Structures are given as structure tokens and as C-alpha cells.
Amino acid sequence: NGQYTSLDAILKDKAYVEALARYHVVNLGASSYEFPFGTFSEPTLSGDYLNVNFILAKDTTYYKINNQASVTKANIDLSNGYIHVIGTMLKPITLNSYNWLKQNSGYSIMAAALEATGWKKTIDVDMKAKDQTLKPFTMLVEPDAVYKKRNVNSLADLAKLISPDRTDYTNATNPLNLFVGYHILTESKFLDDLQGKATNYNTFADVPVTING
């Protein structure tokens, strides 16, 4: 990829290569027949959770890990577990929510809103840090293309629409502040966790959001 041009370049980045190796090892012996529809019950050695998608194609069904890597050879049974060969390298989780938004230009409006309202300080954290007390959360994020359908092309446009009479965006009662907080669930949820039920989930805006799964 653009970050590394050779194996030597990867190996020189000790922190990344350690995360890369640990991210590919699930702390669980699971054959493909035991793959979940969703997330593995145990984390990887890097402390992250991988998920499994079942892809239906013409005349075949196959597994895809993290919606990134297809399983090309499954169930190599070994004395200490299984190896499943995948066709694409999994990208270890080295970004937090805010970093991801900033690296993806198509989400610039939400990223700017997080900065303006002060919610950036809450989500721009490393959950793996030893002194981190915040619990994992879930963000519901619209791309810029969705805002532009309502002629919202910038943070200024969004603020004018949501909070036309107030500019104290870091105030917890400000409409823009509440709008951004409403996009953050107070618990960690994979998409499959939301399936099959219609219920309310608490948000950082202290106003529940209803999700019909």
C-alpha cells in the first residue's frame, strides 16, 4: 500500500508489525463450521474482534473476514488450533473513530462538527491505553454526500440548519452539540447485534435513539 513499499519497510515499523501479527491470531480454536454470523466470541491477540460475513455468489458460498479478506482455504487442523488461509492482508486497528473520519475525506462535515462541539476530546482516545476509563462506543456517521442532498456543504451550513440562533457549540444544551452526541451510542454494537429487534439505545446526548433491526 502507500504506507509501505516493501517487507523491510514494514519490519522497520516495530509497533505496526507487532499489531499486524497479533491482529491475525484469534485467541480461539475455531473451524469454519463454527464461524459465527457476526463477531468471534474471543478477541485477537491485539485485543480486537474480527467479524465474519457469509458471501453468497453464483454456485458458491464463502466466508469473508472483516469484509476485507476472503477465506481461500479453511480448516488446516493443527495441534494448537486452526489455520484459515485468506486472500488479503487484514489491516490492524491502529486508528480510533476520529482518526478514521479525518483520513476519509468523504466524512469531513461530521469530523468538523466533532471538533466544533468538543466531542472530539471524547472519541479521540486510545481504548487500549492502560489509563483509559471510557467504555467502547458506537458511532452512526453519515457521509458528506448525505448532507449535500439537503444543501449542507460545510460545517457552517450544518450549524445554520441545526443551531441557527446559538454559537456556543461546546455547551451541552446547544442543538448542534446534541445533534453530534446523538450520533454516538454509549455501548459497543456490531451491526448483527442490532438485528431482529426494534429498541432504544442510549446516546452521548442523553436522548435515546430508536433502531429498528
Side-chain angles (χ1 to χ4, degrees), residues 24-51:
H24 281 74
V25 183
V26 180
N27 196 23
L28 174 74
S31 72
S32 64
Y33 307 110
E34 301 170 294
F35 278 5
F37 178 66
T39 310
F40 283 108
S41 60
E42 295 294 331
T44 64
L45 297 187
S46 62
D48 301 294
Y49 285 88
L50 303 182
N51 62 75

Side-chain angles (χ1 to χ4, degrees), residues 133-193:
T133 58
L134 187 69
K135 294 181 179 180
F137 51 84
T138 303
M139 293 191 67
L140 305 171
V141 182
E142 306 93 345
D144 293 350
V146 170
Y147 289 104
K148 289 178 179 179
K149 289 179 180 179
R150 296 192 62 181
N151 295 318
V152 174
N153 299 298
S154 64
L155 171 63
D157 290 343
L158 181 63
K160 185 177 180 181
L161 177 68
I162 302 295
S163 183
D165 302 318
R166 294 177 57 178
T167 59
D168 57 338
Y169 304 135
T170 59
N171 189 308
T173 65
N174 179 276
L176 183 63
N177 189 291
L178 291 168
F179 174 84
V180 176
Y182 191 62
H183 284 69
I184 311 173
L185 308 186
T186 60
E187 53 189 322
S188 178
K189 292 290 184 183
F190 284 93
L191 189 61
D192 55 287
D193 294 328

